Amino acid sequence: QQQVKQSPQSLIVQKGGISIINCAYENTAFDYFPWYQQFPGKGPALLIAIRPDVSEKKEGRFTISFNKSAKQFSLHIMDSQPGDSATYFCAAPPVNRDDKIIFGKGTRLHILP
Amino acid sequence: DAGVIQSPRHEVTEMGQEVTLRCKPISGHDYLFWYRQTMMRGLELLIYFNNNVPIDDSGMPEDRFSAKMPNASFSTLKIQPSEPRDSAVYFCASTRHLATINTIYFGEGSWLTVV
């Protein structure tokens, strides 16, 4: 079964700083590596995803960096804002079509005002 | 589309009582998932269905938990009897294609407290 290791568990960043969350996976045969964002009292929602044929994808202040050889991908939040305070989950696609999708354990991000 | 709809949003029940959580997935989605979220264990997959058929229930913690999907638009997660350690947020989610995981849509969750 796929294992996904996410770090750190929690993160405190000053407003305007860079938040970095990392994710490592074991194996995959499929094509998307996403990050989900969860605000208190809400369900997780897709934030940004990357295909492994590119090394970086940027959407506004959010960037995914992908290192295929190391089987790692990370989320960078530039100019972090208090509104970015949330829990972030990475996920790895299944190895086989009927495998479970595995989420990381989450990173609780708090941006200090 | 209204998204994944869960009910109840909040439930407080006494230990030993039966709890039934309900979910309506997004129309046209073939896969439905039930997750449990706690501080200690994060987001755990309990069970998932493909075209109303349970595919993998290995995440169901014990026999007190059961899930059904009688049709494409409705699923239930039942806990009988409930225990305080079942207190958690239970999420239902759906997706069209399992492999393209950036299309998983979560409901807003059912917050369960067992006292």
Side-chain angles (χ1 to χ4, degrees), chain A residues 3 22 37 44 46 52 74 80 83 100-101 103:
Chain A
Q3 296 291 325
N22 300 298
Q37 180 187 52
L46 177 68
S74 60
S80 299
K100 297 178 228 185
I101 295 164
F103 283 87

mmCIF file of all heavy atoms in Angstrom, chain A residues 3 22 37 44 46 52 74 80 83 100-101 103:
data_model
loop_
_atom_site.group_PDB
_atom_site.id
_atom_site.type_symbol
_atom_site.label_atom_id
_atom_site.label_comp_id
_atom_site.label_asym_id
_atom_site.label_seq_id
_atom_site.Cartn_x
_atom_site.Cartn_y
_atom_site.Cartn_z
ATOM 1 N N GLN A 3 2.471 4.683 0.875
ATOM 2 C CA GLN A 3 2.692 5.448 2.088
ATOM 3 C C GLN A 3 2.997 6.883 1.694
ATOM 4 O O GLN A 3 3.725 7.126 0.730
ATOM 5 C CB GLN A 3 3.854 4.865 2.890
ATOM 6 C CG GLN A 3 3.609 3.454 3.398
ATOM 7 C CD GLN A 3 2.545 3.404 4.479
ATOM 8 O OE1 GLN A 3 2.421 4.313 5.286
ATOM 9 N NE2 GLN A 3 1.752 2.341 4.470
ATOM 10 N N ASN A 22 6.191 19.762 3.058
ATOM 11 C CA ASN A 22 6.778 18.723 2.230
ATOM 12 C C ASN A 22 5.998 17.419 2.271
ATOM 13 O O ASN A 22 5.355 17.096 3.267
ATOM 14 C CB ASN A 22 8.211 18.451 2.692
ATOM 15 C CG ASN A 22 9.069 19.682 2.601
ATOM 16 O OD1 ASN A 22 9.294 20.229 1.529
ATOM 17 N ND2 ASN A 22 9.546 20.154 3.743
ATOM 18 N N GLN A 37 -6.596 21.923 0.884
ATOM 19 C CA GLN A 37 -6.625 22.936 1.927
ATOM 20 C C GLN A 37 -7.923 22.780 2.709
ATOM 21 O O GLN A 37 -8.997 22.648 2.107
ATOM 22 C CB GLN A 37 -6.554 24.324 1.281
ATOM 23 C CG GLN A 37 -6.580 25.499 2.223
ATOM 24 C CD GLN A 37 -6.677 26.812 1.447
ATOM 25 O OE1 GLN A 37 -7.555 26.988 0.604
ATOM 26 N NE2 GLN A 37 -5.757 27.722 1.701
ATOM 27 N N PRO A 44 -11.946 19.268 3.330
ATOM 28 C CA PRO A 44 -10.800 19.605 2.474
ATOM 29 C C PRO A 44 -11.260 19.942 1.065
ATOM 30 O O PRO A 44 -12.248 19.400 0.573
ATOM 31 C CB PRO A 44 -9.964 18.323 2.493
ATOM 32 C CG PRO A 44 -10.399 17.591 3.718
ATOM 33 C CD PRO A 44 -11.852 17.914 3.886
ATOM 34 N N LEU A 46 -9.580 20.893 -2.984
ATOM 35 C CA LEU A 46 -8.373 20.926 -3.805
ATOM 36 C C LEU A 46 -7.836 22.350 -3.900
ATOM 37 O O LEU A 46 -8.568 23.289 -4.209
ATOM 38 C CB LEU A 46 -8.679 20.400 -5.195
ATOM 39 C CG LEU A 46 -7.498 20.448 -6.166
ATOM 40 C CD1 LEU A 46 -6.427 19.447 -5.733
ATOM 41 C CD2 LEU A 46 -7.954 20.157 -7.588
ATOM 42 N N PRO A 52 3.616 14.960 -12.953
ATOM 43 C CA PRO A 52 5.041 14.688 -12.753
ATOM 44 C C PRO A 52 5.910 14.983 -13.968
ATOM 45 O O PRO A 52 7.130 14.829 -13.884
ATOM 46 C CB PRO A 52 5.056 13.191 -12.408
ATOM 47 C CG PRO A 52 3.822 12.645 -13.008
ATOM 48 C CD PRO A 52 2.807 13.735 -12.948
ATOM 49 N N SER A 74 6.498 19.456 -2.825
ATOM 50 C CA SER A 74 6.315 20.396 -1.734
ATOM 51 C C SER A 74 5.403 21.542 -2.158
ATOM 52 O O SER A 74 5.257 21.835 -3.344
ATOM 53 C CB SER A 74 7.658 20.949 -1.256
ATOM 54 O OG SER A 74 8.311 21.612 -2.318
ATOM 55 N N SER A 80 2.845 34.758 2.806
ATOM 56 C CA SER A 80 1.784 34.102 3.571
ATOM 57 C C SER A 80 0.910 35.119 4.299
ATOM 58 O O SER A 80 1.419 36.104 4.863
ATOM 59 C CB SER A 80 2.405 33.131 4.587
ATOM 60 O OG SER A 80 3.155 32.128 3.924
ATOM 61 N N GLY A 83 -5.184 34.651 6.275
ATOM 62 C CA GLY A 83 -6.238 33.874 5.635
ATOM 63 C C GLY A 83 -5.773 32.539 5.083
ATOM 64 O O GLY A 83 -6.598 31.704 4.711
ATOM 65 N N LYS A 100 -6.292 2.387 -2.758
ATOM 66 C CA LYS A 100 -6.813 3.555 -2.060
ATOM 67 C C LYS A 100 -5.956 4.770 -2.392
ATOM 68 O O LYS A 100 -4.754 4.682 -2.555
ATOM 69 C CB LYS A 100 -6.741 3.341 -0.555
ATOM 70 C CG LYS A 100 -7.576 2.214 -0.037
ATOM 71 C CD LYS A 100 -7.361 2.107 1.465
ATOM 72 C CE LYS A 100 -7.100 0.709 1.875
ATOM 73 N NZ LYS A 100 -7.010 0.556 3.322
ATOM 74 N N ILE A 101 -6.582 5.904 -2.445
ATOM 75 C CA ILE A 101 -5.860 7.172 -2.491
ATOM 76 C C ILE A 101 -5.428 7.469 -1.063
ATOM 77 O O ILE A 101 -6.218 7.373 -0.137
ATOM 78 C CB ILE A 101 -6.779 8.279 -3.010
ATOM 79 C CG1 ILE A 101 -7.165 7.971 -4.457
ATOM 80 C CG2 ILE A 101 -6.107 9.634 -2.883
ATOM 81 C CD1 ILE A 101 -8.337 8.748 -4.933
ATOM 82 N N PHE A 103 -3.874 10.020 1.786
ATOM 83 C CA PHE A 103 -3.584 11.392 2.194
ATOM 84 C C PHE A 103 -2.485 11.405 3.254
ATOM 85 O O PHE A 103 -2.375 10.490 4.064
ATOM 86 C CB PHE A 103 -4.839 12.053 2.782
ATOM 87 C CG PHE A 103 -5.830 12.490 1.741
ATOM 88 C CD1 PHE A 103 -6.792 11.613 1.269
ATOM 89 C CD2 PHE A 103 -5.800 13.781 1.235
ATOM 90 C CE1 PHE A 103 -7.710 12.011 0.310
ATOM 91 C CE2 PHE A 103 -6.718 14.187 0.281
ATOM 92 C CZ PHE A 103 -7.662 13.298 -0.189
#
